[in-house]
């Protein structure tokens, strides 16, 4: 499939799809019928796909990114034609002879790789690139910090009024007051605080025990407020974490890590404004877990898309902050042949300990990546859980995880026997993202 001879499976290709509709449409194009002029070489695959018009769509995929180019009008990345081309390549049981790319594909590939190797391209990709006027940037940062401080002080007053009037009154006031407060936080350029306020507004009347949940979220919001107002007296790493939670961008100033990265999971979370894609990686040599984030405006899929279960040679640069897992990807990830064994795992108790340690570094964490080994999915009176094979401890699955098809894929993979599961452990429970069977430890089974 590329210069190194690594071939993605159909399941890995489908994991790149931005949504279910794209998976279905791409699957229909994963046959030879609509394609002509197909070829591959130097880490790329290309072809012409017949569409509804007279002229076929020219499609090319740079598998070292991966990155995609297609003449179709779709705003999704990858589009159904790129998915179909990759699926067709994955279904071809024989290794095709590498050929030279046609001019239209070669020009795009050459320009893309030239940008990746240039300082300008590195800056565009999130690498270091200083502002044109450092003094002007400093003044802008000071003005924004002052607006956030003003917003935090106002939010403290709103929280005090809420507690003074009693939590029961929150249900009577409705969501409008919270949305007004959230809008004020947006005006203060504190999107992190705005998000927490919207979360507060969604809790009243949300089911049994909502006053307890509201009090917990108020406490966390108050803690973040106070931490921002005292940020100049906090340890540097923790102060950076506070700025991140408020909504400021963290610097990418860690030491780049080059490794063979196993792609553990990829999934999207969307709201009316933004689609956020989360990609979890595990370094096979460094044993490091990294989180790559990619964003797309409402209605558009994020650009970054990596095949789950593949092993990629590449470089990531960590963000600053205490306990930070987020990293910025390098310009290229090259698929390689290599072991795809799961990350080292442990029992349920070890996962809870890891989450507890992470909370000391970042009290506002919703979840922490962990790998559970030797666990069995089991039904309990409150829902599904993952239990240690010896029955010592168990973790409940989050409500969202219990409603997804991935749960039944996990149950089928286990068949009542212990399995290894990677996922996110948080105060709401465990969300399984990938699993491995003892019979096929090198095969990553996506669960989301």
């Amino acid at each position: 499939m590329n210069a190194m001879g690594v071939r993605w499976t159909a399941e890995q290709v489908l994991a790149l799809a931005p949504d279910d509709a794209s998976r279905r449409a791409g699957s229909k194009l994963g046959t030879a019928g609509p394609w002509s002029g197909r070829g591959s070489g130097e880490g790329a695959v290309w072809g012409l796909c017949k569409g509804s018009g007279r002229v076929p769509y020219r499609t090319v995929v740079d598998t070292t990114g991966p990155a995609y180019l297609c003449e179709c009008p779709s705003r999704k990345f990858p589009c159904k034609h790129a998915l179909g081309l990759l699926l067709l390549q994955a279904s071809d049981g024989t290794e095709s002879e590498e050929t030279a790319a046609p001019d239209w594909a070669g020009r795009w590939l050459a320009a893309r790789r030239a940008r990746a190797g240039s300082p300008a391209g590195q800056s565009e990709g999130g690498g270091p690139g200083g502002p044109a006027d450092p003094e002007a940037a400093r003044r802008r940062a000071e003005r924004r910090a002052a607006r956030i401080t003003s917003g935090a002080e106002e939010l403290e007053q709103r929280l005090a009024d809420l507690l003074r009037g009693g939590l029961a009154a929150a249900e009577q006031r409705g969501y409008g007051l919270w949305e007004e407060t959230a809008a004020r936080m947006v005006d203060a350029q504190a999107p992190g605080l705005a998000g927490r306020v919207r979360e507060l507004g969604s809790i009243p009347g949300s089911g049994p025990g909502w006053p307890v949940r509201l009090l917990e979220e108020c406490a966390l919001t108050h803690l973040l407020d106070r931490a921002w107002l005292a940020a100049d007296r906090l340890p540097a790493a923790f102060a950076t974490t506070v700025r991140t939670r408020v909504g400021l961008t963290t610097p990418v100033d860690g030491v780049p890590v080059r490794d063979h990265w196993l792609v553990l999971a990829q999934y999207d979370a969307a709201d009316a404004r933004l689609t956020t894609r989360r990609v979890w990686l595990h370094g096979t040599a460094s044993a490091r877990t990294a989180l790559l984030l990619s964003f797309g405006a409402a209605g558009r899929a994020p650009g970054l898309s990596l095949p789950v279960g593949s092993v990629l040679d590449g470089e990531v640069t960590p963000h600053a902050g205490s306990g930070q897992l987020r990293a910025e990807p390098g310009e290229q990830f090259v698929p390689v042949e290599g072991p795809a064994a799961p990350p080292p795992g442990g029992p349920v108790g070890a996962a809870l300990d890891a989450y507890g340690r992470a909370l000391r570094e970042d009290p506002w964490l919703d979840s922490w990546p962990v790998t559970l080994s030797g666990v069995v999915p089991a039904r309990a009176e409150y829902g599904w859980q993952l239990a240690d094979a010896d029955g010592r401890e168990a973790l409940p699955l989050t409500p969202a995880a219990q409603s997804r098809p991935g749960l039944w894929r996990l149950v089928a993979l286990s068949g009542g026997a212990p399995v290894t599961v990677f996922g996110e452990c948080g105060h709401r429970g465990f969300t399984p993202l990938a699993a491995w069977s003892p019979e096929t430890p090198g095969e990553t089974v996506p669960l989301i």
Side-chain angles (χ1 to χ4, degrees), residues 1-27:
M1 187 166 188
N2 54 60
M4 304 189 70
V6 177
R7 183 178 296 273
W8 291 343
T9 66
E11 191 169 55
Q12 290 172 341
V13 172
L14 290 174
L16 298 171
D19 51 39
D20 288 337
S22 296
R23 289 188 187 92
R24 292 192 295 269
S27 297

Side-chain angles (χ1 to χ4, degrees), residues 351 368 370-372 386 395-398 401 421-426 428-433:
W368 186 255
V370 297
T371 301
L372 303 174
L386 289 176
L395 256 178
L397 299 188
T398 59
V421 184
F422 168 80
E424 297 173 349
C425 179
R428 294 183 178 90
F430 183 80
T431 300
L433 301 177

